[in-house]
């Protein structure tokens, strides 16, 4: 029994999950989402009252997703609030708790899923992220889509007669209620501290000896091959760290971050992604700059794709940060295909932060952002202000040119005659 407002700590969560490891069935499914709170279900159901045209779908979602699964299972446990630190490292804890056979389900095609019941299986399903800018209707459709994914996988395993346990959770809460007396304290925190707290997982690091020489972080790291095969590498890179970085190289001049994945999706046996960085001295600025020169993708050891990189550079003592990096023309930092094979790939990286030189205290240095000081909004404001000032100056100039009459006609006297010379 949990009292009102209690937040389950990492130690308490470990104790609560012990029955999952001691039972006869050792098949565990982890549905992992980026943000989720138990209030999401009730909020979506009550946001529009009785006028909500999707009220039936919401009720069906709530029954199928929560009540239906909980009531049909021999035992269940609902934890309304869990500490973020516990959920961030839940997957690592599960892997350390037993000799699991880890399977990452990324393409959501469960028809070809093979489960060997003779060994304990850990199936990790990375669900579609719920973005904060989504409308309530969009979030509702996303929940309905998630409901279908969970139902499809669980029903398939039940039809095969496979016993399993399910954990449905998220990396961080989607709704955080704060008291009014502490809200101002949160506002006064430094931005760097807030961004650090918002990280859902630690960055990937490459070490030489006891020192870290490369740090790499992204909130979303995904690719698309041939406009059809979607590959999400976020979980494998940062959460489970099911990636081989042994081919990475570090030096004072050239640094290469090599990420090798084995069978990231069906149809691709191996995938390697390389980030090639250089550290050069530029006389114009009289300092060294670190630059990400190119990104290379090697598929199945043969297909080689190379991308040139624009606008990814920073002083050698700094790290580099950019909100959006990829092949789209709309991103502030672009990956430009330099050969024909690269045209078959689409790359999307959000909240990229990378540093390959001069790492101190095993953490990122001050970040140089890809967004310049004069953003499009600032330029628009400046241009609009200049136009308004020009109109004001022109109006004042015209008003100053107005003159009044120095002579007036007297109706009782002769008519006033003004020579044209005046």
């Amino acid at each position: 029994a949990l009292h009102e407002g209690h937040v389950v700590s990492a130690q308490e969560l470990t104790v609560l999950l012990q029955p999952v490891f001691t039972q006869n069935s050792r098949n565990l499914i982890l549905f992992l989402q980026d943000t989720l709170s138990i209030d999401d279900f009730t909020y979506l159901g009550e946001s529009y009252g009785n006028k909500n045209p999707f009220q039936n779908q919401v009720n069906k979602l709530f029954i199928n997703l929560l009540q239906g699964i909980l009531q049909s299972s021999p035992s269940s446990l609902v934890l309304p609030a869990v500490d973020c630190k516990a959920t961030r490292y839940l997957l690592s804890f599960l892997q350390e708790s037993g000799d699991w056979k880890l399977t990452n389900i990324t393409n959501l095609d469960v028809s070809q899923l093979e489960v060997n019941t003779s060994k304990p299986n850990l199936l990790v399903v990375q669900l579609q992220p719920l973005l904060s800018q989504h409308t309530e209707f969009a979030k509702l459709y996303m929940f309905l889509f998630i409901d279908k994914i969970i139902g499809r996988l669980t029903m398939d395993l039940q039809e095969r007669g496979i016993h399993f346990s399910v954990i449905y959770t998220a990396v961080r809460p989607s709704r955080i209620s704060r008291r009014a007396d502490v809200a101002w304290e949160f506002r006064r925190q430094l931005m760097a501290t807030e961004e650090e707290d918002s990280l859902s997982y630690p960055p990937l690091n490459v070490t030489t000896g006891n020192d870290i020489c490369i740090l790499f972080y992204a909130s979303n790291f995904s690719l698309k091959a041939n406009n059809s095969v979607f590959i999400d590498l976020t979980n494998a890179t940062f959460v489970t760290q099911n990636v081989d970085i042994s081919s990475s190289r570090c030096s004072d001049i050239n640094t290469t971050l090599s990420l090798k994945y084995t069978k990231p999706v069906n149809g691709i046996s191996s995938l390697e992604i390389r980030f090639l960085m250089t550290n050069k001295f530029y006389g114009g600025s009289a300092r060294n700059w670190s630059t990400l020169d190119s990104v290379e993708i090697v598929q199945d050891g043969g297909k080689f794709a190379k991308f040139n990189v624009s606008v990814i550079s920073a002083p050698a003592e700094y790290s580099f940060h950019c909100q959006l990096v990829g092949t789209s023309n709309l991103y502030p930092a672009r990956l430009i295909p330099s050969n024909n094979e690269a045209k078959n790939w689409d790359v999307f990286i959000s909240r990229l932060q990378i540093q390959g030189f001069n790492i101190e205290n095993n953490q990122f240095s001050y970040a140089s952002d890809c967004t310049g000081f004069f953003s499009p909004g600032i330029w628009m404001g400046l241009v609009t202000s200049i136009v308004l000032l020009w109109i004001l100056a022109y109006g004042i100039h015209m008003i100053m040119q107005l003159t009044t009459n120095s002579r007036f006609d007297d109706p009782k006297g002769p008519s006033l005659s003004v020579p044209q010379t005046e």
Side-chain angles (χ1 to χ4, degrees):
L2 302 175
H3 59 268
E4 181 80 17
H6 177 70
V7 178
V8 178
S9 64
Q11 184 177 2
E12 291 174 325
L13 182 63
T14 303
V15 176
L16 292 171
L17 293 180
Q18 284 302 321
V20 178
F21 311 130
T22 57
Q23 62 182 355
N24 295 329
S25 174
R26 296 293 303 277
N27 299 310
L28 180 62
I29 308 175
L30 176 61
F31 292 101
L32 191 60
Q33 206 163 302
D34 60 339
T35 59
L36 181 69
S37 294
I38 199 168
D39 295 337
D40 289 331
F41 303 100
T42 56
Y43 179 78
L44 289 172
E46 299 173 356
S47 57
Y48 294 93
N50 297 328
K51 297 181 180 181
N52 185 0
F54 299 100
Q55 189 70 33
N56 294 331
Q57 287 90 330
V58 174
N59 293 335
K60 181 180 178 182
L61 164 69
F62 186 81
I63 293 174
N64 289 345
L65 191 59
L66 293 179
Q67 295 180 349
I69 295 178
L70 296 179
Q71 293 177 1
S72 62
S73 60
S75 62
S76 61
L77 176 65
V78 177
L79 303 176
V82 181
D83 190 2
C84 293
K85 295 180 180 179
T87 56
R88 287 175 186 174
Y89 305 105
L90 176 61
L91 187 55
S92 300
F93 165 72
L94 294 176
Q95 290 182 278
E96 296 173 357
S97 302
D99 186 18
W100 302 95
K101 178 187 176 183
L102 180 63
T103 303
N104 291 295
I105 304 176
T106 55
N107 57 0
L108 305 178
D109 184 10
V110 298
S111 60
Q112 304 295 330
L113 180 63
E114 297 181 359
V115 179
N116 185 4
T117 56
S118 61
K119 298 181 179 180
N121 295 277
L122 176 58
L123 309 179
V124 179
V125 182
Q126 192 79 28
L127 298 174
Q128 193 76 9
L130 294 173
L131 302 180
S132 57
Q133 59 265 30
H134 281 166
T135 63
E136 299 305 327
F137 282 161
K139 289 182 179 180
L140 173 59
Y141 279 118
M142 293 298 298
F143 271 107
L144 291 174
F145 179 68
I146 292 171
D147 179 36
K148 292 181 180 179
I149 295 173
I150 297 177
R152 187 190 311 167
L153 180 56
T154 54
M155 289 297 296
D156 180 76
L157 295 179
Q158 288 178 357
E159 292 176 355
R160 301 186 195 181
I162 299 175
H163 299 282
F164 57 89
S165 300
V166 175
I167 298 178
Y168 178 32
T169 185
V171 176
R172 55 185 178 272
S174 60
R175 303 176 187 274
I176 303 176
S177 58
R178 295 173 176 170
R179 303 195 313 269
D181 56 345
V182 299
W184 181 249
E185 296 180 7
F186 280 97
R187 292 182 183 178
R188 297 180 61 182
Q189 290 180 350
L190 294 177
M191 184 182 298
T193 305
E194 294 180 352
E195 290 183 355
E196 182 179 354
D197 293 340
S198 65
L199 297 180
S200 58
Y201 33 72
L204 180 70
N205 62 76
V206 178
T207 60
T208 54
N210 296 327
D211 298 327
I212 295 179
C213 61
I214 303 176
L215 286 173
F216 174 64
Y217 174 84
S219 62
N220 192 338
F221 182 28
S222 57
L223 301 87
K224 183 180 287 186
N226 300 319
N227 294 324
S228 59
V229 181
F230 180 77
I231 309 172
D232 189 354
L233 302 175
T234 310
N235 186 65
T237 306
F238 304 103
V239 182
T240 64
Q241 294 194 357
N242 187 20
V243 56
D244 181 12
I245 58 176
S246 59
S247 298
S248 300
R249 296 290 180 266
C250 298
S251 70
D252 295 335
I253 300 176
N254 297 302
T255 295
T256 300
L257 172 62
S258 175
L259 307 175
K260 293 183 179 180
Y261 306 89
T262 302
K263 292 184 178 180
V265 292
N266 293 333
I268 298 179
S269 59
S270 65
L271 187 67
E272 181 181 5
I273 303 174
R274 306 190 195 111
F275 295 84
L276 283 74
M277 295 172 283
T278 58
N279 181 13
K280 296 181 181 179
F281 178 81
Y282 291 87
S285 58
R287 69 184 308 170
N288 284 57
W289 287 74
S290 62
T291 306
L292 179 61
D293 294 328
S294 62
V295 176
E296 300 174 352
I297 300 177
V298 182
Q299 177 187 346
D300 300 329
K303 297 181 179 179
F304 176 80
K306 183 177 180 180
F307 299 87
N308 294 326
V309 183
S310 65
V311 200
I312 298 186
S313 61
E317 300 82 10
Y318 295 169
S319 64
F320 176 83
H321 175 270
C322 194
Q323 192 69 21
L324 291 174
V325 178
T327 52
S328 174
N329 296 330
L330 303 178
Y331 297 160
R334 286 195 59 205
L335 302 182
I336 305 171
S338 63
N339 59 5
N340 293 329
E341 185 63 30
K343 298 178 181 179
N344 298 327
W345 291 90
D346 292 325
V347 183
F348 172 74
I349 307 175
S350 64
R351 290 189 61 190
L352 167 72
Q353 188 167 2
I354 189 171
Q355 184 174 356
F357 306 96
N358 303 317
I359 297 177
E360 297 181 357
N361 300 324
N362 295 333
Q363 60 184 1
F364 280 116
S365 303
Y366 176 83
S368 175
D369 201 272
C370 62
T371 303
F373 179 78
F374 286 96
S375 63
I378 294 178
W379 280 115
M380 184 178 296
L382 289 176
V383 172
T384 304
S385 301
I386 292 174
V387 172
L388 293 177
L389 288 175
W390 181 82
I391 295 175
L392 177 62
Y394 180 77
I396 294 175
H397 174 73
M398 296 300 294
I399 292 175
M400 294 178 64
Q401 299 300 317
L402 296 177
T403 58
T404 58
N405 294 332
S406 58
R407 302 177 186 179
F408 298 92
D409 191 10
D410 185 3
K412 297 181 180 181
S415 60
L416 180 64
S417 176
V418 179
Q420 291 185 357
T421 56
E422 298 183 11

